[in-house]
């Protein structure tokens, strides 16, 4: 099964981001992320055998991180993968700590984790953007209190990945 750890935005935040994603996809071309799939990836494991699932859950339970306030106040575009995303001007230290702890513990438990890229917290809004130089609008700042993270199973499909939340883990 294909697994990753993520933070899921509360419903009102996901709704307004999904509306923004639709507008951006209409303007610049590409596939808007649906309301129910908007997320912030913390650590990507990729393919994991079913028997390894208990070890993955143990890793997440052992991570003790504090809750934090997330602020999204800017839009970005990555040319290499043609993504438009929402991000924050600064990374909350608790979020950085959570990501480092997850990645380190996964690797220490001999579980897979792609740590090849440094962590840039982002919510993907549009994939396969058509315009190569999209002039992005200002993002009016939005906040939410992150008090949990989730383990997610991804099922790749023609219309984009479908996600199922496997388990939730509270942040202190
Ligand atoms: P699709 O691949 O169909 O566009 P997706 O990227 O949302 O959909 P997955 O490929 O299963 O679905 O990825 C799940 C999450 O993990 C996404 O947020 C994705 O950006 C992230 N991700 C995927 N591969 C990696 C990787 N090698 N390293 C870090 N994060 C990754
Ligand atoms: Mg992918």
């Amino acid at each position: 099964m294909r697994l990753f750890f993520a933070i899921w935005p509360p419903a009102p935040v996901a709704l307004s981001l999904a509306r923004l994603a639709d507008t951006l996809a209409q303007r610049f071309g590409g596939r808007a992320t649906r309301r129910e799939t908007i997320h912030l990836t913390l650590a990507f494991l990729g393919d994991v055998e079913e028997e390894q699932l208990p070890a993955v859950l143990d890793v997440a339970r052992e991570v003790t991180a504090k809750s934090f306030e997330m602020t999204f106040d800017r839009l970005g575009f990555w040319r290499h993968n043609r993504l438009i995303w929402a991000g924050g001007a600064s990374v909350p230290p608790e979020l950085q700590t959570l990501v480092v702890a997850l990645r380190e513990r996964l690797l220490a438990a001999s579980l897979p984790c792609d740590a090849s890229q440094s962590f840039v917290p982002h919510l993907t809004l549009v994939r396969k953007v058509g315009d190569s130089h999209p002039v992005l609008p200002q993002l009016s700042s939005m906040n939410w209190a992150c008090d949990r993270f989730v383990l997610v199973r991804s099922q790749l499909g023609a219309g984009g990945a479908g996600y199922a939340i496997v388990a939730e883990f509270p942040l202190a």
Side-chain angles (χ1 to χ4, degrees):
M1 60 179 98
R2 187 176 173 90
L3 295 178
F4 63 103
F5 285 105
I7 285 175
W8 230 256
V13 174
L15 182 61
S16 65
L17 286 169
R19 286 190 177 138
L20 173 61
D22 281 336
T23 306
L24 294 169
Q26 276 166 27
R27 196 179 304 172
F28 302 117
R31 196 177 84 216
T33 309
R34 287 168 287 133
R35 178 187 53 79
E36 61 275 18
T37 59
I38 288 179
H39 66 278
L40 188 156
T41 300
L42 298 171
F44 180 79
L45 289 81
D47 252 319
V48 168
E49 296 298 325
E50 190 114 26
E51 310 80 270
Q52 289 180 298
L53 182 58
V56 176
L57 294 169
D58 281 346
V59 161
R61 285 189 203 107
E62 282 160 18
V63 166
T64 49
K66 292 200 186 95
S67 56
F68 56 92
E69 175 97 356
M70 190 69 215
T71 302
F72 291 91
D73 52 14
R74 68 187 183 113
L75 295 176
F77 172 64
W78 284 325
R79 192 155 302 143
H80 70 282
N81 52 10
R82 310 192 79 84
L83 292 184
I84 294 175
W85 48 274
S90 63
V91 183
E94 299 89 347
L95 173 58
Q96 187 72 38
T97 304
L98 171 60
V99 167
V100 169
L102 275 174
R103 291 180 173 190
E104 282 178 352
R105 280 170 188 270
L106 286 168
L107 296 175
S110 302
L111 290 163
C113 172
D114 188 342
S116 59
Q117 289 159 13
S118 64
F119 176 64
V120 181
H122 66 280
L123 300 155
T124 297
L125 300 182
V126 188
R127 289 180 167 73
K128 301 193 165 107
V129 175
D131 195 323
S132 334
H133 297 278
V135 179
L136 299 171
Q138 296 279 338
L139 178 64
S140 46
S141 173
M142 49 182 96
N143 307 299
W144 89 77
C146 296
D147 60 0
R148 72 197 66 183
F149 66 99
V150 292
L151 177 65
V152 189
R153 178 177 187 175
S154 170
Q155 275 159 321
L156 299 179
Y163 305 135
I165 292 180
V166 178
E168 278 195 4
F169 306 91
L171 294 169

